[in-house]
């Protein structure tokens, strides 16, 4: 089977990128997918959400961006989540690259590809060089967004930049999956923004979103995914549905995913709520 690499990216901050990385990794890990999270955001919040931080003097997610011919072979750490490993961020990374190879992240992942079914790269906003390196390693891009005018503009800006970058580098275009976050469709603004996203990108690029739920921030404060903090929370169900969509859209496979118990799907494997 072929490992899939997905960047979770948006040029706008505060859209739920890190929350998505942490909760999707936990959701897919419990189903048997072997997931690696690469935390390219120097804030290191994905590591915090999974209870992992870079070891002093050890390789981390930013090492290949600083030095050529380095990889993630010794950088991945186990987490407390089933089947989920993490390459934590260098929280002292200042954005200055010491390696000009835009394929450095792809090369760094090479020693770990055989051991994983899915790699999720948490990409920081407003970091063009890091975004390009992540895209060059990826098979697809998940774009979390809030349903408001600024969120819509952020998605459109990212899409323009993404297409311009892929054209300039003569790289094959990747599939986009736009995922609404903190959804509350009781408001006119959110319903209108969702309609504008559907019109601009088509329903085929929209995936299920995650409703507003205080359990998400509570879980993050405890450095746990929401499915373990409050498994009955609506956000836990929504992340399950989002995971379903991404598995289908990007063809993410693993042998364990098809070994379901006789009584049906594993616990927590649900259909969620559709915003498409």
């Amino acid at each position: 089977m072929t490992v899939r690499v997905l960047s979770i990216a948006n040029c706008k901050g505060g859209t739920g990128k890190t929350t998505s990385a942490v909760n999707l990794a936990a959701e897919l890990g419990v189903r048997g997918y072997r997931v690696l999270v690469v935390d390219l955001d120097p804030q290191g919040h994905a590591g915090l959400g999974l209870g992992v931080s870079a070891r002093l003097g050890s390789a981390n997610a930013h090492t290949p961006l600083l030095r050529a011919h380095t990889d993630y072979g010794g950088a991945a750490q186990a987490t407390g989540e089933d089947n989920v490993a993490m390459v934590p961020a260098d929280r002292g990374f200042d954005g200055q690259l010491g390696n000009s190879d835009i394929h450095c992240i792809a090369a760094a992942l090479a020693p770990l590809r055989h051991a994983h079914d899915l790699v999720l790269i948490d990409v920081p906003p407003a970091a063009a060089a890091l975004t390009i390196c992540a895209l060059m390693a990826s098979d697809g891009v998940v774009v979390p967004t809030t349903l408001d005018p600024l969120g819509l503009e952020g998605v459109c800006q990212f899409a323009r930049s993404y297409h311009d970058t892929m054209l300039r580098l003569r790289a094959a275009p990747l599939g986009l999956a736009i995922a609404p976050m903190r959804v509350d469709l009781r408001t006119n603004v959110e319903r209108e923004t969702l309609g504008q996203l559907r019109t601009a990108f088509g329903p085929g690029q929209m995936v299920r979103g995650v409703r507003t739920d205080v359990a998400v921030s509570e879980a993050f404060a405890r450095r746990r995914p929401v499915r373990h903090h409050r498994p009955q929370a609506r956000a836990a169900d929504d992340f399950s549905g989002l995971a379903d969509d991404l598995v289908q859209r990007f063809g993410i496979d693993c042998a364990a995913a098809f070994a379901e118990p006789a009584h049906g799907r594993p616990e927590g494997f649900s259909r969620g709520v559709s915003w498409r």
Side-chain angles (χ1 to χ4, degrees), residues 7 102-104 106 131-138 165-166 169 171 174:
S7 283
I102 61 174
H103 298 285
C104 62
T131 301
I132 290 172
C133 292
L135 292 177
M136 291 299 101
S138 298
T165 297
M166 303 307 276
L169 297 175
L174 310 175

Side-chain angles (χ1 to χ4, degrees), residues 39-233:
D39 191 359
L40 274 189
D41 192 332
Q43 294 182 95
H45 289 174
L48 292 177
L50 291 168
V52 173
S53 59
R55 302 185 185 102
L56 185 63
S58 298
N60 55 64
H62 295 94
T63 301
L65 298 160
L66 298 172
R67 298 193 299 273
H69 310 300
T70 56
D71 58 51
Y72 291 145
Q77 300 182 35
T79 71
E81 303 302 314
D82 292 341
N83 301 309
V84 178
M86 156 72 69
V87 179
D90 176 0
R91 302 188 73 182
F93 180 71
D94 61 3
Q96 300 300 311
L97 304 188
N99 182 3
S100 60
D101 182 6
I102 61 174
H103 298 285
C104 62
I105 299 298
L109 286 170
L112 300 177
R113 293 179 70 91
H114 70 283
H116 297 92
D117 303 303
L118 172 66
V119 178
L120 296 174
I121 304 177
D122 186 15
V123 183
L130 272 65
T131 301
I132 290 172
C133 292
L135 292 177
M136 291 299 101
S138 298
D139 302 298
V141 187
V142 182
V143 188
T145 182
T146 52
L147 292 179
D148 54 60
L150 291 179
L152 175 63
E153 175 58 28
V155 174
C156 293
Q157 182 181 349
F158 176 82
R160 288 192 297 267
S161 176
Y162 154 76
H163 287 297
D164 289 347
T165 297
M166 303 307 276
L167 182 63
R168 175 169 53 85
L169 297 175
R170 298 182 180 178
L174 310 175
L176 292 180
I178 300 169
M181 292 286 126
R182 300 194 293 275
V183 175
D184 183 355
L185 292 181
R186 293 174 298 179
T187 68
N188 291 333
V189 168
E190 294 213 0
R191 290 196 298 270
E192 290 169 3
T193 303
L194 182 59
Q196 290 171 314
L197 280 171
R198 286 171 171 160
T199 299
F201 294 97
Q205 294 194 85
M206 301 293 297
V207 291
R208 273 177 279 195
V210 178
R211 289 168 287 184
T212 299
D213 193 338
V214 69
V216 175
S217 56
E218 290 176 349
F220 218 96
R222 291 163 176 78
R223 301 191 179 189
R224 303 187 72 193
V226 69
R227 76 174 329 276
H228 294 313
H229 169 63
R230 195 183 296 173
Q232 302 306 318

